[in-house]
Amino acid sequence: MSFNGAVNEHYPTPAAADESTVSHVQKGFKISARKLPISKSGPIDEMSQKLGIPVPEMIFGDNMVSIEHLESGWRLEFNAYDALDRVDKTGKNMLKVAYSKEWSSSREKTHEGIKEVVKPFDWSYTTDYKGTITKGKPFNMPPQQDAERIPIELLKRPDPILFFEEVVLYESELDDNGISVLSCKVRVMPDRMLLLCRLFMRLDGVLVRIRDTRIYVDFNAGKVIRDYTEKEDAFDKVKKSLLFSGKLPEDITVALRDPNQIAHLIPEVKHTLENLTVP
């Protein structure tokens, strides 16, 4: 794989992709992560054509995180293409707030030269992506009061971390008006693991949005829990919440760039729990 080749070079080769993939096997589960450089123009154009929308300016099309149950072959993967395929391509659901009209209007003017070619879509790259099951049975969604929840107390235990990776799938600076980034973090302990796929979208002066997919695996019982939450609030409300929480004014700008510092301040608007047991 050449990092200095032509800008439209299609990479990685299968061998290079394998070399860039790190894996850990724990009690019958294989957890893998692949981190490669930002996609080049050839793969970007191909992806945009297939998706029907322009892709974010920083797209890591070859990156992925996966969880595989070796005995049954069940496999769940997180990748940029499938995440972007969940972005609204009609424009009908763009931001869903009245005060975003001014921003979206300016966005359309910026791209008016290609409006005949590109359909309206959610420029914030908000996705409700929960991962792609590439093999095996789907999750069950029982009545939410009966669904098994992620055992937070067990995750708080000081168990050794046997494997940890953080992988960015895509990122956009929204024409210097904020940020939209989708990334995955995975940590594996002796008896369990947790994967967090997080979309963090901040449109300055308009909206802050966090969408989290958590995958919890109990290796001993073969249980998998998928916990999905959507949180959002007006930008100014989040800013006020930071002030009321005791943040100094000079620290608020930094906090607004860090979803870990603001996630607990943003109201939840949707929450679903799904379960499955393998094999």
Side-chain angles (χ1 to χ4, degrees):
M1 177 174 59
S2 171
F3 293 107
N4 299 309
V7 294
N8 62 349
E9 175 186 357
H10 284 253
Y11 68 90
T13 62
D18 288 342
E19 289 173 6
S20 303
T21 304
V22 292
S23 299
H24 177 84
V25 176
Q26 188 69 16
K27 295 189 175 182
F29 285 83
K30 182 179 181 181
I31 301 91
S32 304
R34 183 167 64 232
K35 291 191 285 189
L36 282 161
I38 192 169
S39 297
K40 296 190 177 182
S41 64
I44 286 174
D45 291 344
E46 185 177 329
M47 183 182 288
S48 294
Q49 187 173 12
K50 287 181 178 179
L51 288 168
I53 60 173
V55 300
E57 55 264 36
M58 294 182 68
I59 178 76
F60 298 88
D62 299 307
N63 286 3
M64 71 90 195
V65 178
S66 67
I67 304 167
E68 180 181 1
H69 183 250
L70 295 174
E71 181 183 342
S72 66
W74 180 87
R75 184 175 180 275
L76 176 68
E77 177 180 312
F78 289 81
N79 64 74
Y81 179 89
D82 289 344
L84 288 168
D85 203 28
R86 299 289 304 176
V87 170
D88 173 45
K89 299 174 185 179
T90 67
K92 292 179 181 178
N93 297 321
M94 194 188 313
L95 297 177
K96 297 182 180 178
V97 287
Y99 40 78
S100 71
K101 290 180 180 176
E102 188 175 322
W103 178 76
S104 58
S105 174
S106 68
R107 202 50 173 129
E108 287 175 6
K109 287 177 182 176
T110 302
H111 294 265
E112 61 186 354
I114 58 171
K115 279 171 70 177
E116 295 301 317
V117 194
V118 180
K119 297 177 183 178
F121 74 101
D122 184 354
W123 298 103
S124 75
Y125 293 107
T126 295
T127 181
D128 61 357
Y129 184 55
K130 302 175 187 176
T132 306
I133 295 177
T134 61
K135 186 178 180 181
K137 58 185 177 181
F139 283 91
N140 299 314
M141 187 180 287
Q144 294 302 282
Q145 66 270 20
D146 299 330
E148 190 168 351
R149 298 177 180 274
I150 293 176
I152 303 299
E153 292 305 314
L154 290 178
L155 290 171
K156 289 180 179 178
R157 288 170 38 167
D159 294 333
I161 296 176
L162 307 177
F163 180 78
F164 175 85
E165 285 293 335
E166 182 171 4
V167 178
V168 176
L169 298 180
Y170 65 75
E171 182 174 341
S172 172
E173 294 184 351
L174 306 179
D175 283 353
D176 296 323
N177 288 303
I179 191 170
S180 183
V181 57
L182 183 71
S183 62
C184 292
K185 286 184 182 179
V186 59
R187 59 182 170 113
V188 179
M189 289 74 74
D191 294 319
R192 59 193 58 86
M193 66 158 287
L194 182 69
L195 180 151
L196 169 63
C197 183
R198 167 170 283 176
L199 172 89
F200 174 50
M201 195 283 289
R202 187 197 76 246
L203 181 56
D204 294 336
V206 179
L207 187 71
V208 180
R209 175 179 283 161
I210 294 175
R211 293 189 171 179
D212 287 342
T213 299
R214 289 178 172 84
I215 306 294
Y216 172 84
V217 182
D218 180 326
F219 297 133
N220 297 317
K223 290 182 178 179
V224 186
I225 301 172
R226 178 159 66 180
D227 183 309
Y228 174 74
T229 59
E230 296 183 1
K231 295 182 174 185
E232 63 182 67
D233 209 352
F235 181 89
D236 288 342
K237 287 185 178 179
V238 177
K239 203 170 180 179
K240 285 180 182 177
S241 296
L242 283 168
L243 273 171
F244 293 152
S245 71
K247 287 281 184 188
L248 296 174
E250 57 266 30
D251 296 329
I252 288 179
T253 300
V254 175
L256 284 166
R257 295 173 180 164
D258 182 0
N260 294 317
Q261 292 193 48
I262 60 177
H264 66 288
L265 301 172
I266 303 176
E268 186 179 285
V269 296
K270 185 177 181 179
H271 182 209
T272 61
L273 283 164
E274 298 169 281
N275 306 137
L276 68 80
T277 301
V278 288

